[in-house]
């Protein structure tokens, strides 16, 4: 037994799994650790009651606009309107979301969650509006799904929901497809890999083995096939027929196919579409070699890699040996040429200073001389920026009074004297720069656009970064 399936299941929740009704029995997160006392307020819109606190007022206004825009589109697609205003709970970042006392902390891999009982979605701001809107719309699909079972009255229909028990590929795949559409590159990559390796599943396999067949990607691909062949409007018909007809009959009534027949035709379509194109493409192993993997490195889960300037070392977040109890994501060091795991730099399970390492949001950075590693961690519910001596594994400095709630992706200047990082304050991400001793901290950008993943130019005169600003956005 290895921890790999558990981590695959955890990472599958990045875009927020819908919580079954039964999962909400018991404490409802009442004993969740809370580091902050938040002054909750409510912004009421036409279809939502949005719970927020003053620090995220500006971001909440944008979120409210996005919520109503998504409602207008989804209500038409799913042929359903809300009879009551639905609650949305916004948090400035992962920290606040992890402290919620509604469902309790769902884990660092969860980006949002909706409970079936009250049809209440909880969503943290991610630092950029595009990814936030994706999670918001995804969770809103779950609200529609629950509300269709409840016939417009939150708290009703739970018995029917439990009896039908829609599989994850149905629930999550629909939310992804209606949110991202048919041309999602990550979904295409997953399906291309499955086709070339002969791993395209049947619908029964997807239903029974959701950990093996990622419901978000495989389910989204199946719904994209349905939408392309019968039109997106049939998705609403299937969803509305689900409470009374059940899964098999709902599909047969609208498509004239059994689930087995639908699955076979979906697989044939993917093979016809993908396999001819693959014949003219090289597989990655023909022009590159795997560096961090189970065979070379041992363990599992290899994310947020950072390469030293001389190309000799690589820092990454991973789990180690299951037999040695290394089952939580820690910061490790490996030989960048062989992939051999050298040592664990930070052990999160035995050190309260590293509650989380922001494995889905950030990555570490080597100083130009390779001696110091900058990385962010959570301590006492707040992000800190640590500088670690790579050789001794000792923390040289901890910056725990940064004027931001979340600090991400530190990067060193070419001379090693300054650090730039993305800082999330009030749900909005900007770039900040400071000297390596923490002095002369200043904000480089100041607007509602997300500013992420900064990198210095080789001469130290410019900084490149990822942003949702530009002509393709409609944020004023």
């Amino acid at each position: 037994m290895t921890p790999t399936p558990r981590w695959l299941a955890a990472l599958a929740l990045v875009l927020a799994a819908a919580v079954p009704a039964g999962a909400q029995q018991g404490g409802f997160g009442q004993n969740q650790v809370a580091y902050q006392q938040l002054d909750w307020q409510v912004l009421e819109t036409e279809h939502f009651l949005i719970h927020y606190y003053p620090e995220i007022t500006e971001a909440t206004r944008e979120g409210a606009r996005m919520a109503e825009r998504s409602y207008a589109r989804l209500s038409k697609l799913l042929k359903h309107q809300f009879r009551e205003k639905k609650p949305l709970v916004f948090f400035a970042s992962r920290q606040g979301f992890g402290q919620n006392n509604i469902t309790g902390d769902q884990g660092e891999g969860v980006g949002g969650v909706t409970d079936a009982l009250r049809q209440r979605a909880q969503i943290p701001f991610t630092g950029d509006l595009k990814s936030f809107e994706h999670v918001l719309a995804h969770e809103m699909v779950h609200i529609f799904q629950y509300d269709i079972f409840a016939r417009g009255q939150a708290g009703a229909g739970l018995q029917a929901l439990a009896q039908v028990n829609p599989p994850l590929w149905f629930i999550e795949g629909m939310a992804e497809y209606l949110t991202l559409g048919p041309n999602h590159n990550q979904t295409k990559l997953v399906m291309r890999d499955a086709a070339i390796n002969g791993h395209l599943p049947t619908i029964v396999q997807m239903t029974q083995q959701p950990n093996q067949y990622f419901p978000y990607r495989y389910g989204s691909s199946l719904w994209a096939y349905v939408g392309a062949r019968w039109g997106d409007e049939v998705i609403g018909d299937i969803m509305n027929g689900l409470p009374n007809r059940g899964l098999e009959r709902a599909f047969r009534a609208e498509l004239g196919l059994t689930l087995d027949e639908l699955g076979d035709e979906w697989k044939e379509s993917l093979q016809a579409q993908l396999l001819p194109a693959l014949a003219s493409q090289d597989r990655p192993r023909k022009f590159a070699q795997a560096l961090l993997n189970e065979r070379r490195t041992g363990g599992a889960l290899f994310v947020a890699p950072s390469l030293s300037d001389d190309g000799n070392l690589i820092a990454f977040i991973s789990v180690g040996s299951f037999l040695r109890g290394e089952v939580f994501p820690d910061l490790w060091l490996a030989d960048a040429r062989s992939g051999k795991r050298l040592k664990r730099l930070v052990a999160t399970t035995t050190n309260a200073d590293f509650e989380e390492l922001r494995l889905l949001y950030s990555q570490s950075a080597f100083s130009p001389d390779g001696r110091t590693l900058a990385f962010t961690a959570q301590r006492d519910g707040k992000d800190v920026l640590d500088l670690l001596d790579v050789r001794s594994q000792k923390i040289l400095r901890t910056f725990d009074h940064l004027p931001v709630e979340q600090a991400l992706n530190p990067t060193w200047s070419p001379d090693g004297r300054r650090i730039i990082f993305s800082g999330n304050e009030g749900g909005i991400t900007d770039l900040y720069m400071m000297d390596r001793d923490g002095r002369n901290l200043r904000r480089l950008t100041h607007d509602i656009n997300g500013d992420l993943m900064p990198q210095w130019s080789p001469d130290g005169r410019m900084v490149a970064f990822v942003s949702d600003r530009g002509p393709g956005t409609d944020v004023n």
Side-chain angles (χ1 to χ4, degrees):
M1 181 178 182
T2 69
T4 306
R6 297 177 185 176
W7 279 110
L8 289 176
L11 292 179
L13 295 173
V14 172
L15 298 176
V19 178
Q24 296 305 311
Q25 302 300 319
F28 282 85
Q30 292 177 10
N31 296 322
Q32 182 68 25
V33 175
Y35 298 99
Q36 303 167 267
Q37 292 294 324
L38 302 177
D39 179 18
W40 287 103
Q41 301 180 14
V42 177
L43 173 62
E44 186 171 354
T45 68
E46 184 178 358
H47 298 99
F48 301 98
L49 297 173
I50 303 177
H51 300 259
Y52 72 104
Y53 37 98
E55 294 86 343
I56 58 174
T57 298
E58 184 178 6
T60 296
R61 291 194 184 111
E62 291 296 330
R65 184 172 64 88
M66 292 175 177
E68 289 294 344
R69 182 170 62 188
S70 291
Y71 175 85
R73 183 174 65 88
L74 292 172
S75 63
K76 293 179 180 178
L77 285 172
L78 294 173
K79 303 176 182 179
H80 181 81
Q81 289 79 41
F82 294 163
R83 292 165 50 188
E84 56 190 12
K85 296 187 178 184
K86 304 300 183 183
L88 303 176
V89 186
F90 290 169
F91 296 91
S93 65
R94 157 66 194 154
Q95 290 94 312
F97 177 51
Q99 297 169 41
N100 85 82
N101 61 4
I102 300 172
T103 59
D105 189 0
Q106 299 291 305
E108 191 174 0
V110 177
V113 66
T114 302
D115 69 89
L117 181 61
R118 299 188 181 180
Q119 301 173 12
R120 171 179 45 193
Q122 302 175 71
I123 307 162
F125 285 99
T126 55
D128 69 287
L129 295 177
K130 182 176 181 179
S131 63
F132 171 79
E133 186 171 29
H134 168 211
V135 178
L136 174 64
H138 180 110
E139 295 306 318
M140 199 175 299
V141 173
H142 292 326
I143 297 176
F144 273 98
Q145 292 166 340
Y146 291 146
D147 202 51
I148 288 171
F149 271 94
R151 301 185 184 279
Q153 184 178 357
L158 297 180
Q159 184 175 357
L161 176 62
Q163 184 174 358
V164 173
N165 192 23
L168 286 177
W169 64 260
F170 182 100
I171 294 292
E172 301 296 351
M174 181 188 296
E176 283 293 88
Y177 173 66
L178 294 182
T179 301
L180 297 171
N183 297 312
H184 183 234
N185 288 332
Q186 188 178 0
T187 298
K188 290 181 177 180
L189 287 173
V190 171
M191 303 318 299
R192 187 180 299 128
D193 182 75
I196 197 172
N197 290 292
H199 291 159
L200 290 175
T202 65
I203 289 182
V204 171
Q205 288 174 319
M206 289 198 299
T207 300
Q208 296 178 349
Q209 304 172 58
N211 287 354
Q212 184 172 348
Y213 301 105
F214 190 11
Y216 292 76
R217 304 281 71 84
Y218 286 89
S220 179
S221 175
L222 178 58
W223 281 116
Y225 173 74
V226 170
R229 181 170 172 182
W230 287 278
D232 285 346
E233 62 274 9
V234 79
I235 297 175
D237 295 328
I238 294 172
M239 184 65 233
N240 282 281
L242 190 64
N244 292 328
R245 292 173 173 160
L247 192 68
E248 179 79 34
R249 291 175 58 199
F251 274 93
R252 183 180 293 185
E254 302 302 333
L255 308 184
L257 299 175
T258 68
L259 284 177
D260 287 340
E261 291 169 340
L262 173 63
D264 290 342
E265 295 189 14
W266 166 59
K267 288 173 61 177
E268 291 174 4
S269 173
L270 285 175
Q271 290 168 338
Q273 174 187 353
L274 297 174
L275 292 180
L278 291 172
S280 62
Q281 298 176 353
D282 290 331
R283 297 193 183 190
R285 63 172 176 265
K286 287 189 175 182
F287 54 85
Q289 70 174 27
L291 178 61
L292 302 176
N293 60 21
E294 292 187 41
R295 183 178 63 83
R296 285 174 169 264
T297 315
L301 181 72
F302 308 101
V303 297
S306 178
L307 189 67
S308 62
D309 283 8
D310 61 10
N312 291 326
L313 298 173
I314 185 168
F316 60 102
I317 295 177
S318 175
V319 297
S321 168
F322 180 75
L323 295 178
R324 290 197 294 267
E326 298 165 345
V327 296
F328 292 94
D330 292 325
L331 188 60
W332 294 81
L333 188 71
D335 185 296
R337 303 187 187 279
S338 68
K340 180 181 179 181
R341 195 182 296 248
L342 300 176
K343 57 185 175 181
R344 182 164 51 176
L345 299 174
V346 169
T348 59
T349 54
T350 58
N351 194 328
D353 289 337
F354 307 109
E355 296 167 347
E356 291 182 1
L357 293 177
R358 299 288 173 254
L359 66 98
L360 296 179
Y361 302 92
S362 186
Q363 65 185 140
S364 58
F366 284 94
S367 60
D369 61 12
R371 297 178 180 177
T372 306
L373 191 72
F375 67 98
T376 60
Q378 179 177 298
R379 178 184 303 172
D380 294 331
K382 181 178 174 61
D383 271 22
V384 299
L385 176 60
D386 287 310
L387 302 185
L388 177 141
D389 183 275
V390 175
R391 179 174 296 179
S392 67
Q393 300 170 240
K394 293 182 179 179
I395 298 296
L396 302 175
R397 287 183 178 272
T398 295
F399 304 108
D400 55 2
H401 290 90
L402 299 173
V404 295
E405 181 164 345
Q406 191 169 48
L408 306 171
N409 294 112
T411 179
W412 296 81
S413 63
D415 60 10
R417 299 170 63 180
R418 291 169 293 171
I419 296 173
I420 286 180
F421 61 92
S422 295
N424 181 332
E425 181 62 20
I428 299 170
T429 304
D430 288 302
L431 298 183
Y432 295 78
M433 182 174 68
M434 68 180 184
D435 296 342
R436 67 176 297 160
D437 61 4
R439 298 179 180 178
N440 299 317
L441 177 68
R442 65 189 180 99
R443 195 172 191 166
L444 300 181
T445 60
H446 197 170
D447 52 56
I448 200 167
N449 299 290
D451 300 326
L452 304 163
M453 304 182 194
Q455 288 293 328
W456 293 79
S457 63
D459 61 9
R461 299 175 62 184
M462 302 182 69
V463 175
F465 60 97
V466 175
S467 178
D468 52 12
R469 68 186 70 225
T473 63
D474 61 356
V475 179
N476 294 324

